[in-house]
Amino acid sequence: MEVCHLLHLRSNDYMYFTEDSLRRKAIDKALVKMLAIDMQPGSIVEDKGFQDFLKVIDPKYIPPSRRTIMRDHLPGLYRNATEKLHTQLMKVEYCSITTNLWTSQATMGYITVTCHFLTDDWELKSVVLETVQIEDSHTAENIASTLLCITDKWNITDKICCAITDNASNIVAAIQHNKWNHLPCFAHTLNLIVSNSLQDVPEVAALLQRCKHIVTYFHRSTKATDKLTSIQSRLNIDNHKLIQEVETRWNSSFYMLERIIEQEEAARTTLCLLNRNDLTISSEEIEVMKVIVEILQPFEAVTREISADSYISGSKIIPLSRALQRLTCSSKKLEVQNLKDNLLQRMNRKFLNIEDNMLLAAPTLLDPRFKKIAFSDFGNAAKVTQYIIREIAASLRLDDSDSTDSTEVEVIVKDASPTDESGLWDFLINK
């Protein structure tokens, strides 16, 4: 009897310690996952506030050391994630990649590759595959070799149907070297169009420079910032800070102008009270700024539209490029006519033959919101229709003669257009 009782006690102790050990391992796993998801440093486990928090949650729990996390737990988490992604990519038949070269604050060159694909449930997935340092010179051959190493590692080299990059000649040549279809990033193309146009019109460039000086003054002077806040409250104006232009993002110039227009009265009053009349902007210049903002408003709307990362945007590029050209051309503002003309000239060059690019034209025609009405030339729409018919026939291993008749496709391709209040889609609605 005593032996049985002793065995029963030992069994309970074993179960207790086993459950306790499993619970601690589960907490360790959740802790490391939290650090990875929230991008927290491993040193957080040494912070007194975090340790006090853990004591409240579970006084018996002792978190792993920073060294254990960095040496054992995080590498294990990375291996599990990569194995899961490898398995997922094995099931993918087609994918696309986006890639970009960038320089760190330590002036070291890196390249990042992101893969985009659809799951069996038609869910769009975007995953960063690698960020690696390029130690050699950024020639097309070196970039191509680095990209190929990454795609080979993930077994997607032969699955890539398109690679999207910026317009830099070396990375474009690298994509061509690897024999992948290439598309220039539409957002980057817009950035070049607007940024270069703003700089090529002297009066606009000078006005932007003056606005930058104003914003810089307020950002560097706590006295000026405090005074501006006081004036805003007195004038019952929204307490918004001025926005500084970022050289690599054209829309920052737009937001800078927009904010200065909003804060015109408060900013002018503050500058006068601080004896900085040299920085004030006249009423005539404010009116010119309003015209610039009005002309650039569609470009800002398109930049936001195309930058959404939760939806496929390839089918929008042709209709959006047409909308920008139409809206810019229809503008009646004469104050900055040179800016308008410059924008149109650059768009005409960048968007030339865009409807002949099947990587853009085919998804546009297949998008139920656009179909044929998105094309400026119905002849181009007819060519895309025939291209799609041939692709379907090839995929079904049929002869062109057995494929869907073009008149039947014509019935399918009916007018359909999105609705929104930005004015971008008006040309589709009024088609």
Side-chain angles (χ1 to χ4, degrees):
M1 185 71 178
E2 292 180 357
V3 173
C4 291
H5 182 66
L6 182 61
L7 289 174
H8 179 69
L9 289 176
R10 288 182 177 177
S11 175
N12 287 341
D13 290 343
Y14 173 76
M15 291 178 61
Y16 172 78
F17 286 117
T18 301
E19 290 177 1
D20 190 56
S21 177
L22 292 174
R23 181 173 56 82
R24 288 172 183 271
K25 287 182 179 179
I27 296 176
D28 285 350
K29 185 177 179 180
L31 171 62
V32 175
K33 188 175 180 180
M34 179 192 75
L35 298 184
I37 293 174
D38 297 336
M39 301 291 286
Q40 294 289 343
S43 60
I44 191 174
V45 296
E46 300 172 352
D47 295 343
K48 186 179 184 305
F50 186 73
Q51 290 178 346
D52 290 344
F53 171 77
L54 290 179
K55 288 178 181 178
V56 174
I57 300 298
D58 187 349
K60 296 181 180 179
Y61 175 69
I62 300 176
S65 67
R66 175 184 178 181
R67 183 179 179 184
T68 301
I69 287 177
M70 304 305 293
R71 183 187 59 193
D72 301 330
H73 291 289
L74 280 179
L77 186 64
Y78 174 77
R79 284 193 299 271
N80 292 338
T82 53
E83 289 172 4
K84 182 179 179 182
L85 182 56
H86 269 294
T87 302
Q88 199 170 26
L89 289 175
M90 284 178 60
K91 302 176 182 178
V92 173
E93 189 174 358
Y94 300 103
C95 65
S96 63
I97 61 170
T98 51
T99 184
N100 187 37
L101 287 164
W102 53 279
T103 304
S104 69
Q105 291 183 344
T107 65
M108 292 188 293
Y110 291 88
I111 190 167
T112 298
V113 177
T114 304
C115 182
H116 312 272
F117 58 93
L118 291 172
T119 66
D120 293 337
D121 299 325
W122 293 90
E123 180 185 1
L124 177 63
K125 289 282 188 180
S126 296
V127 291
V128 177
L129 299 181
E130 301 276 347
T131 294
V132 298
Q133 183 181 356
I134 298 184
E135 298 180 354
D136 299 324
S137 58
H138 294 179
T139 63
E141 291 75 15
N142 289 337
I143 296 172
S145 176
T146 302
L147 289 174
L148 207 55
C149 287
I150 294 173
T151 56
D152 283 345
K153 175 182 175 181
W154 292 94
N155 297 318
I156 62 169
T157 301
D158 297 328
K159 299 179 180 182
I160 297 173
C161 58
C162 183
I164 297 92
T165 72
D166 60 24
N167 295 270
S169 58
N170 57 347
I171 198 165
V172 173
I175 299 301
Q176 294 171 346
H177 185 275
N178 287 343
K179 295 181 172 55
W180 294 326
N181 292 321
H182 175 260
L183 277 179
C185 174
F186 189 59
H188 184 259
T189 300
L190 284 183
N191 189 70
L192 291 177
I193 289 172
V194 182
S195 297
N196 292 336
S197 296
L198 291 174
Q199 293 304 315
D200 284 352
V201 181
E203 58 269 31
V204 174
L207 190 55
L208 286 173
Q209 195 62 35
R210 293 197 59 194
C211 291
K212 287 178 65 176
H213 290 326
I214 293 173
V215 178
T216 299
Y217 171 71
F218 278 101
H219 282 189
R220 290 181 177 176
S221 172
T222 55
K223 180 180 179 181
T225 301
D226 292 342
K227 193 67 175 178
L228 177 63
T229 303
S230 174
I231 297 297
Q232 287 170 333
S233 299
R234 191 182 308 170
L235 297 176
N236 197 25
I237 297 175
D238 290 335
N239 184 11
H240 293 158
K241 293 183 178 180
L242 300 183
I243 298 173
Q244 184 58 284
E245 179 188 57
V246 179
E247 187 176 349
T248 56
R249 297 175 183 172
W250 82 264
N251 50 352
S252 64
S253 303
F254 174 86
Y255 298 134
M256 178 180 69
L257 293 176
E258 199 175 42
R259 183 57 55 83
I260 287 180
I261 292 171
E262 176 196 89
Q263 299 294 328
E264 170 200 358
E265 187 177 359
R268 183 190 294 117
T269 303
T270 303
L271 291 171
C272 290
L273 291 174
L274 295 175
N275 295 320
R276 290 306 307 267
N277 294 348
D278 57 305
L279 291 176
T280 57
I281 295 180
S282 66
S283 300
E284 292 78 11
E285 290 172 320
I286 289 293
E287 292 304 314
V288 173
M289 289 166 57
K290 290 179 180 179
V291 174
I292 296 173
V293 167
E294 183 177 338
I295 291 174
L296 296 182
Q297 183 73 56
F299 291 88
E300 190 274 337
V302 169
T303 299
R304 280 190 290 106
E305 180 85 21
I306 211 69
S307 298
D309 59 0
S310 300
Y311 305 96
I312 297 174
S313 53
S315 63
K316 297 179 182 180
I317 293 177
I318 288 177
L320 286 175
S321 62
R322 284 191 60 201
L324 285 176
Q325 290 172 302
R326 183 189 65 83
L327 290 172
T328 306
C329 190
S330 63
S331 174
K332 304 297 183 183
K333 303 298 182 180
L334 300 177
E335 291 86 344
V336 283
Q337 182 67 33
N338 289 342
L339 175 61
K340 171 184 166 181
D341 293 341
N342 213 303
L343 288 168
L344 284 171
Q345 290 171 9
R346 292 182 182 278
M347 282 192 288
N348 290 337
R349 289 199 299 270
K350 292 290 186 180
F351 301 154
L352 182 65
N353 300 326
I354 192 173
E355 294 181 6
D356 293 331
N357 189 329
M358 291 302 165
L359 290 173
L360 298 176
T364 301
L365 186 72
L366 293 172
D367 193 317
R369 300 170 297 177
F370 308 130
K371 299 185 179 179
K372 283 191 173 183
I373 59 174
F375 294 83
S376 59
D377 185 347
F378 272 15
N380 290 334
K383 286 192 294 185
V384 181
T385 302
Q386 293 305 315
Y387 168 80
I388 294 174
I389 291 173
R390 289 193 299 270
E391 288 293 306
I392 294 174
S395 67
L396 296 175
R397 301 182 183 279
L398 296 174
D399 295 332
D400 285 349
S401 58
D402 297 328
S403 62
T404 306
D405 184 75
S406 61
T407 56
E408 187 176 343
V409 176
E410 194 70 29
V411 175
I412 299 172
V413 182
K414 299 185 295 182
D415 290 355
S417 57
T419 57
D420 101 315
E421 300 177 357
S422 66
L424 293 173
W425 309 108
D426 289 350
F427 80 101
L428 294 176
I429 298 171
N430 299 327
K431 192 74 173 178

